[in-house]
Amino acid sequence: MIGWSRRGLAAAAATVAGGLLAAPAIVRAQGNWPNRPVRFVVAYAPGGGTDLTARAMAESLTGRFGQSFVVENRAGANGIVGSEAVARSAPDGYTFVAVTSTHVMNRQIVPNLPFDPTNDFTPIALLARYPLVLMANVDAPFKDVPSLIAYAKTRPPGELAQATSDAQSSYAANQFAKTAGIDLTEVPYRGSGAYLGDLTGGHLKLAWGSTATAMPLLPGGKVKVIAVTSPQRSAFLPDSPTLVECGLPDSLFIGWTGLFGPAKVPQDIAATLNRACSELSATPAMQAR
């Protein structure tokens, strides 16, 4: 289990998310950007929530600018591999990285992090805010938080595993186990897309992911949602209770997905992309995705 400082974690994540909401203050002439394909590096495996969000935005931006926005997955080391590649790239406005709040959380948990999550990047846009979702295999022998806790207490300590895919899901998973008073084994994957086969195939009973990860699995009855980590029920999952409702108020967590460039991306490009992402995120088409 990772030794988190809950107050420090929340403050750090909120600070960076707030920076992503604000458009760059200085705007110069925008020139003809983009005049060649723009690369979005997703720092996690294909098929997960960040990947789906980045691909939806890239598709919308391609339509808006008439230039290709291409997604490339570079998973590994809790998002560090992809983030480091972008931090070291040229700040010319053609390479960006899509990451979760894990991006800033890594500073608290990874010794010798090869970059500064704040100073080595240009914040571009907040793509999504969401609760984390506790999902279960559809055939798991529990249907809600009380029956999950009761089941876990009948099993040998650590026998029941829960999959995570990054620092934010690791935090939520371990905080849930702690506040529920149960012994669960964390199984870290390289991204939520990497554990979906094991979860839907019955090799895993529990996994943590974003709403973007969970929602595509629900129509086919591949998983069931046990609870969400937001203070109120999610508009996307209105029938799923919050952990607060289930008597676990210390399990609150709101994650985010953000877009960053390397440090010193030209302000005019950063402002243009920020404005485009903000406007597209508000459209019904993007909201539905």
Side-chain angles (χ1 to χ4, degrees):
M1 176 176 175
I2 296 171
W4 303 102
S5 163
R6 292 186 67 237
R7 182 174 298 177
L9 169 62
T15 297
V16 174
L20 287 165
L21 280 169
I26 302 172
V27 181
R28 297 193 294 273
Q30 295 174 11
N32 61 347
W33 181 91
N35 57 21
R36 56 187 170 89
V38 178
R39 184 169 61 127
F40 279 5
V41 174
V42 173
Y44 314 101
T50 305
D51 181 61
L52 296 174
T53 299
R55 289 181 186 277
M57 181 57 72
E59 180 182 325
S60 295
L61 289 167
T62 296
R64 178 164 182 143
F65 288 104
Q67 185 60 259
S68 296
F69 283 71
V70 181
V71 173
E72 173 189 334
N73 295 88
R74 297 196 66 173
N78 216 14
I80 294 172
V81 172
S83 296
E84 183 179 11
V86 172
R88 296 179 182 276
S89 67
D92 56 7
Y94 288 90
T95 303
F96 300 92
V97 64
V99 290
T100 68
S101 40
T102 289
H103 178 71
V104 67
M105 294 163 68
N106 279 334
R107 180 161 50 189
Q108 298 190 26
I109 60 173
V110 179
N112 303 314
L113 191 66
F115 52 77
D116 185 300
T118 302
N119 296 328
D120 290 340
F121 295 86
T122 301
I124 302 297
L126 182 67
L127 301 182
R129 267 185 171 149
Y130 46 81
L132 293 186
V133 181
L134 176 56
M135 299 172 282
N137 174 269
V138 69
D139 295 321
F142 41 79
K143 62 179 182 178
D144 51 26
V145 170
S147 59
L148 164 57
I149 293 174
Y151 174 80
K153 289 182 175 179
T154 67
R155 312 308 301 169
E159 179 186 272
L160 184 59
Q162 52 181 350
T164 64
S165 59
D166 55 14
Q168 64 176 6
S169 57
S170 176
Y171 169 80
N174 285 292
Q175 188 66 17
F176 167 70
K178 178 181 177 181
T179 56
I182 53 179
D183 191 343
L184 304 178
T185 296
E186 180 184 358
V187 182
Y189 283 73
R190 289 167 62 90
S192 54
Y195 66 58
L196 293 180
D198 287 344
L199 179 64
T200 58
H203 303 294
L204 280 169
K205 288 186 172 65
L206 290 172
W208 291 84
S210 66
T211 49
T213 299
M215 288 176 61
L217 302 174
L218 298 179
K222 296 179 179 179
V223 301
K224 52 189 174 186
V225 173
I226 301 298
V228 297
T229 63
S230 48
Q232 295 84 33
R233 294 194 179 198
S234 167
F236 298 107
L237 299 167
D239 296 327
S240 301
T242 69
L243 289 172
V244 174
E245 290 178 62
C246 300
L248 302 173
D250 289 336
S251 293
L252 284 173
F253 187 84
I254 298 295
W256 50 259
T257 297
L259 189 67
F260 293 80
K264 300 181 180 179
V265 169
Q267 287 281 351
D268 55 340
I269 293 175
T272 298
L273 187 52
N274 172 281
R275 184 163 52 251
C277 288
S278 297
E279 292 174 357
L280 290 168
S281 292
T283 62
M286 281 295 293
Q287 291 284 330
R289 298 179 71 167

